[in-house]
Amino acid sequence: MKATGMPGIPEISETAADWQALAQKALEGERLSVEEGLAVLEADNDEVLPLLQAVFRVRKHFYGKKVKLNMIINAKSGLCPEDCGYCAQSIVSSTPIVKYPLLEKATLLAGAREAMARQAGTYCIVASGKGPTDKELDQVIEAVKEIRATMPLKICACLGLLKDEQAERLAEAGVHRYNHNLNTSRTNYPSITTTHTYDQRVESVEKVKRYGLSPCSGVIIGMGETNREIVEMAYALRELEADSIPVNFLNAIPGTPLEQAGRTPAMKALKVLALFRLICPSKEIRVAGGREVNLRTLQPLGLYAANSLFVGDYLTTKGQEAAADYQMIEDLGFEIEQCAL
């Protein structure tokens, strides 16, 4: 910080103008350099507020003060042959979780009604496994058709790797969006998962785009990646043109291979959210799983960069009470987007 000439009273930082310049660059559609991205992640903690002030210009330009709410239903729990090191549902996890096959139509419909009650504009149907069987896809499609006919919800499906005909059927049934996260960088990927590849995930996102589904793909921060890899992850999602980018922060679950991983410091998490807003300025940036554990009391500041969040619980972990999210949004002077369609 610069001195003001008055003992103990700092001036506005010399780098505040630099953050504003990066925000202007993002608004004009220019791509940040790797060095600029690293500067965001490696900024001194004293710079976080001026950084967020600059980033909020970008968020406000594209999304105003609206916050998109999303709700997950864990449509199939456990029973997964994949070895993802972060996941309590994977075959290598010893975490005691409830396991069940794909939920029946009535339960999926009840979940959609709950999403409406929670003011969520997007209902996310998530199932464990490498990919859906044709029978499972039939069950999801049957529920989707009724939801589309009776409720004003955007529907996002997350069912794993898809065959071409499966992607086509989901699109025809009325699914709006498909989620398949990249999770980490190409370099770090083999240390997290070995039962499928990074390239398979990229191809999955490209495939759903070909069939007219809006691509949703994001990351999990805190799995041993470097700052440079975080920048690379943001670039990868920019190049994939993901419409919605969930930024998760690892919630290290006992019984998983990553159970000893530490949490991401709250100030670092804010810098990550700022980075994704600057690199993917017009996209929906969702502060997602692990926000309660990692951002803790700084959760409200995350919405100066992100414009979306999950309301309620996640797959196998608890989320913040919905009432606390509503209060947080109100206290910020923001408002819930009432319809995502």
Side-chain angles (χ1 to χ4, degrees):
M1 304 290 281
K2 295 191 298 184
T4 61
M6 299 181 67
I9 301 179
E11 282 187 1
I12 296 173
S13 75
E14 294 179 354
T15 54
D18 295 335
W19 305 136
Q20 292 292 339
L22 290 187
Q24 188 62 35
K25 192 172 182 178
L27 287 167
E28 292 173 0
E30 293 184 45
R31 173 173 161 153
L32 270 66
S33 68
V34 173
E35 291 71 24
E36 288 168 332
L38 287 171
V40 171
L41 294 179
E42 294 168 2
D44 189 274
N45 285 345
D46 289 349
E47 296 297 318
V48 166
L49 287 181
L51 172 62
L52 288 176
Q53 182 184 38
V55 166
F56 181 60
R57 285 178 55 210
V58 184
R59 184 244 201 262
K60 189 175 181 182
H61 174 81
F62 290 103
Y63 294 99
K65 292 185 176 181
K66 292 189 181 297
V67 179
K68 298 172 182 283
L69 298 184
N70 307 257
M71 194 196 89
I72 291 175
I73 185 166
N74 191 2
K76 177 185 174 184
S77 181
L79 310 174
C80 185
E82 303 295 281
D83 67 353
C84 305
Y86 52 84
C87 184
Q89 302 186 77
S90 85
I91 196 169
V92 294
S93 168
S94 61
T95 309
I97 61 167
V98 177
K99 299 178 181 180
Y100 49 82
L102 193 73
L103 297 173
E104 296 180 354
K105 174 183 172 182
T107 308
L108 294 176
L109 292 174
R113 290 190 290 272
E114 178 62 24
M116 293 283 294
R118 293 185 187 181
Q119 303 182 65
T122 301
Y123 179 49
C124 307
I125 301 173
V126 184
S128 63
K130 190 161 193 170
T133 64
D134 288 339
K135 181 181 178 181
E136 289 171 337
L137 199 76
D138 289 342
Q139 288 178 247
V140 171
I141 285 173
E142 188 179 355
V144 166
K145 287 180 176 179
E146 186 160 340
I147 294 167
R148 286 298 312 272
T150 58
M151 292 174 242
L153 282 173
K154 178 179 283 186
I155 301 173
C156 178
C158 178
L159 311 174
L161 300 173
L162 295 177
K163 302 171 186 175
D164 283 83
E165 61 270 22
Q166 291 178 324
E168 184 175 22
R169 290 186 64 203
L170 287 173
E172 290 174 348
V175 171
H176 299 89
R177 177 169 285 171
Y178 197 83
N179 168 261
H180 203 60
N181 292 334
L182 297 186
N183 286 330
T184 192
S185 70
R186 180 184 295 277
T187 304
N188 196 42
Y189 205 84
S191 69
I192 303 302
T193 307
T194 65
T195 47
H196 60 268
T197 67
Y198 179 90
D199 285 333
Q200 283 179 292
R201 285 191 172 259
V202 170
E203 170 54 25
S204 181
V205 177
E206 295 286 11
K207 181 178 293 183
V208 299
K209 286 165 60 178
R210 290 197 297 271
Y211 287 97
L213 292 162
S214 170
C216 173
S217 188
V219 298
I220 305 173
I221 302 298
M223 300 197 296
E225 71 285 342
T226 65
N227 281 345
R228 183 172 289 269
E229 286 173 327
I230 295 174
V231 176
E232 290 171 0
M233 290 148 65
Y235 283 153
L237 292 166
R238 178 186 173 107
E239 290 163 8
L240 274 174
E241 298 181 317
D243 292 329
S244 179
I245 301 174
V247 180
N248 300 277
F249 298 95
L250 181 68
N251 184 351
I253 301 171
T256 64
L258 290 175
E259 66 179 345
Q260 298 301 323
R263 53 175 288 275
T264 299
M267 297 295 266
K268 173 68 175 291
L270 291 172
K271 295 170 198 175
V272 169
L273 292 170
L275 174 79
F276 275 81
R277 173 58 66 203
L278 290 170
I279 290 181
C280 305
S282 66
K283 304 302 184 179
E284 178 182 331
I285 306 296
R286 186 179 318 134
V287 54
R291 66 177 165 96
E292 299 88 349
V293 174
N294 291 272
L295 281 165
R296 298 196 295 200
T297 59
L298 299 189
Q299 285 186 71
L301 291 178
L303 288 176
Y304 282 96
N307 65 292
S308 176
L309 52 80
F310 284 113
V311 61
D313 297 335
Y314 301 98
L315 294 174
T316 62
T317 57
K318 292 290 185 182
Q320 183 166 276
E321 289 293 328
D325 286 333
Y326 303 150
Q327 190 66 67
M328 176 173 69
I329 291 166
E330 180 183 335
D331 288 348
L332 285 166
F334 292 179
E335 59 180 311
I336 297 168
E337 181 184 82
Q338 293 300 319
C339 183
L341 297 177

